[in-house]
Amino acid sequence: MNERVTFQLDRPDGEDRGPSHCTLTINDSTLLGHEATFRILTKVTVKDSDPVNEEEVHFSTDLMLDQPAVRIDLPDEPLRTFSYDGPSISIRTLAWLKVDDGLIFDTKISQDLPVHPIDKEKPTGDPIRTIDPRDDFSMTANIGAISWPARLLFGLVVILALGMIGGIFWVLHHDLTVPLGQEIFFERGDSPMETLLFTLAGLFFIVRASWSLMKRILRRYILLTRPEPRSAIRLGDRIPVSRLVAGQSRIDLRNIELRVVAANLECGQVWRGRGKNRSLESFEKAGRAVTLYTKKVAHIPVGIPIADYFTGDVDFTPMFKALYPPLEIGSSHGLKVYWEIQLIHRDLVDQELRYDDLDYVYEDFLEA
């Protein structure tokens, strides 16, 4: 805590309202008599070697530090923010003061604020593996499970990917052997390391994009859909599986498992690369996750709705107990609440049906 200035939030009675005012106690007399700017803000700090942090100002005012104790009236509205410390980001709510007392550098003081505490027990297990379990499958069995048009499309993607990879190596060989000035892409003046990085980046992009498309094709042995529109989930909701997922397989499914999992996704941005290859990357990583429903079925015949075999309700109360409320700071940082339905098979590519566009009530996460 900074001893030059201390901040004290005073709350009114009732938890649904925000703090009514903040008292600044000036312990350093050299700060008196100066104009200042006071803010309450929430800051997202990305835990990375080259991070992009973000903050959102909830309240800001200019004032004169003309006495040792200064009272600042705050808007009478909920301050919906909290402290959070996860694997990829941390979230803090701060009182921030800038004092106009220097010719070049002004004094800046910040202090963590005791905002509404949210105590959550950490779920067991690896959140990343809960949301994205290891997907082992048989390529032969999976290709045999999709239709002939899908198999032809899969083969076309493989041929195009191999062709593009071969094209990169042909251009690289061409540019390294032709006379100076006749290069197509790789300039002879580039450093060997820069040429290598360009080559690896191109190969990585082609392989990643092609593999993503191939997995989408391999998933065509079944199409999972939402059987009814849904816009929100509330604390206490218990929803039958049949109202959350629908689908019919074009082959017999054996030893199939259906799971419903929910997570807090930590969102932020980082810088990657150097020089002209430097670029901004956004990420969403599971910081906390919980399993809401799981059931294994020995056999589902071809053409039979899977909801006929996965009976029972999904209780969403554990989601509200384990996860923090969604908190968006800017357009790219903060916490999201996300849940999905997973269909897991030993020999086939796993399926997922995402529910990442629903609304939630902030207070439901506090009351759980």
Side-chain angles (χ1 to χ4, degrees):
M1 179 181 296
N2 194 295
E3 298 297 335
R4 302 180 70 187
V5 179
T6 56
F7 305 86
Q8 177 64 47
L9 283 180
D10 295 302
R11 296 180 180 275
D13 294 333
E15 296 184 358
D16 293 335
R17 298 170 59 199
S20 61
H21 64 273
C22 181
T23 301
L24 277 61
T25 302
I26 312 300
N27 302 314
D28 184 350
S29 60
T30 63
L31 300 179
L32 293 174
H34 294 284
E35 295 182 345
T37 299
F38 171 78
R39 292 174 181 169
I40 293 179
L41 56 91
T42 297
K43 181 176 182 179
V44 177
T45 301
V46 176
K47 299 180 179 181
D48 188 81
S49 59
D50 202 355
V52 177
N53 301 322
E54 185 63 277
E55 62 184 40
E56 179 178 303
V57 177
H58 304 289
F59 174 80
S60 180
T61 187
D62 296 325
L63 65 152
M64 173 64 72
L65 302 181
D66 53 2
Q67 52 188 344
V70 180
R71 171 174 165 148
I72 302 173
D73 292 327
L74 302 177
D76 186 15
E77 60 185 31
L79 184 60
R80 290 179 171 173
T81 183
F82 48 84
S83 297
Y84 173 87
D85 188 24
S88 301
I89 66 169
S90 65
I91 301 175
R92 300 162 59 205
T93 300
L94 305 170
W96 180 89
L97 184 70
K98 183 181 75 170
V99 183
D100 186 12
D101 62 346
L103 294 176
I104 300 177
F105 300 106
D106 293 328
T107 298
K108 296 179 181 179
I109 300 171
S110 63
Q111 175 185 313
D112 287 281
L113 288 180
V115 294
H116 196 133
I118 302 180
D119 295 323
K120 298 284 186 179
E121 293 186 5
K122 188 173 183 179
T124 59
D126 184 350
I128 295 179
R129 285 303 176 196
T130 300
I131 290 297
D132 188 17
R134 182 181 177 90
D135 191 1
D136 295 321
F137 63 93
S138 166
M139 183 68 74
T140 302
N142 214 136
I143 292 177
I146 59 179
S147 64
W148 273 106
R151 296 178 198 178
L152 293 175
L153 181 59
F154 182 87
L156 179 61
V157 172
V158 172
I159 293 173
L160 289 176
L162 293 176
M164 287 187 289
I165 292 173
I168 287 180
F169 283 109
W170 182 87
V171 171
L172 178 63
H173 177 267
H174 174 274
D175 290 351
L176 293 177
T177 56
V178 298
L180 194 65
Q182 297 183 17
E183 301 92 345
I184 298 175
F185 183 80
F186 298 100
E187 296 182 3
R188 198 72 59 81
D190 293 340
S191 68
M193 180 58 68
E194 194 171 2
T195 300
L196 176 62
L197 290 176
F198 265 119
T199 304
L200 292 177
L203 293 174
F204 176 78
F205 175 79
I206 293 172
V207 171
R208 184 175 182 179
S210 301
W211 181 237
S212 177
L213 182 55
M214 286 188 286
K215 289 191 73 173
R216 289 181 60 184
I217 297 172
L218 292 175
R219 288 192 176 101
R220 293 188 178 184
Y221 63 88
I222 189 173
L223 175 63
L224 299 184
T225 60
R226 299 184 186 184
E228 59 185 49
R230 187 165 301 280
S231 60
I233 294 291
R234 294 298 307 273
L235 176 63
D237 280 353
R238 296 181 63 94
I239 303 175
V241 175
S242 60
R243 293 175 56 190
L244 296 175
V245 61
Q248 299 177 7
S249 175
R250 64 181 310 275
I251 63 168
D252 280 356
L253 296 177
R254 298 187 181 278
N255 300 318
I256 192 81
E257 179 182 5
L258 187 140
R259 300 196 304 171
V260 181
V261 297
N264 274 136
L265 297 184
E266 301 178 359
C267 307
Q269 292 181 320
V270 295
W271 287 105
R272 289 292 180 261
R274 294 183 178 181
K276 63 181 181 181
N277 297 323
R278 186 171 168 84
S279 62
L280 192 62
E281 293 185 5
S282 298
F283 66 83
E284 292 184 354
K285 298 180 180 179
R288 303 170 68 89
V290 61
T291 300
L292 306 177
Y293 174 96
T294 180
K295 183 178 181 180
K296 292 183 179 181
V297 173
H299 178 220
I300 300 179
V302 58
I304 302 299
I306 63 171
D308 292 352
Y309 288 82
F310 294 106
T311 56
D313 298 340
V314 178
D315 182 6
F316 284 91
T317 297
M319 179 182 76
F320 290 95
K321 288 184 176 181
L323 303 186
Y324 284 78
L327 182 63
E328 186 176 291
I329 305 299
S331 60
S332 57
H333 290 65
L335 277 182
K336 290 183 178 180
V337 173
Y338 166 88
W339 59 276
E340 69 179 22
I341 296 174
Q342 301 171 345
L343 196 65
I344 300 174
H345 192 281
R346 181 182 60 187
D347 296 325
L348 305 177
V349 173
D350 296 340
Q351 303 275 349
E352 63 181 31
L353 181 62
R354 300 167 62 95
Y355 277 86
D356 54 0
D357 55 353
L358 304 186
D359 295 326
Y360 301 94
V361 176
Y362 184 89
E363 287 73 18
D364 283 349
F365 293 88
L366 308 184
E367 298 170 2

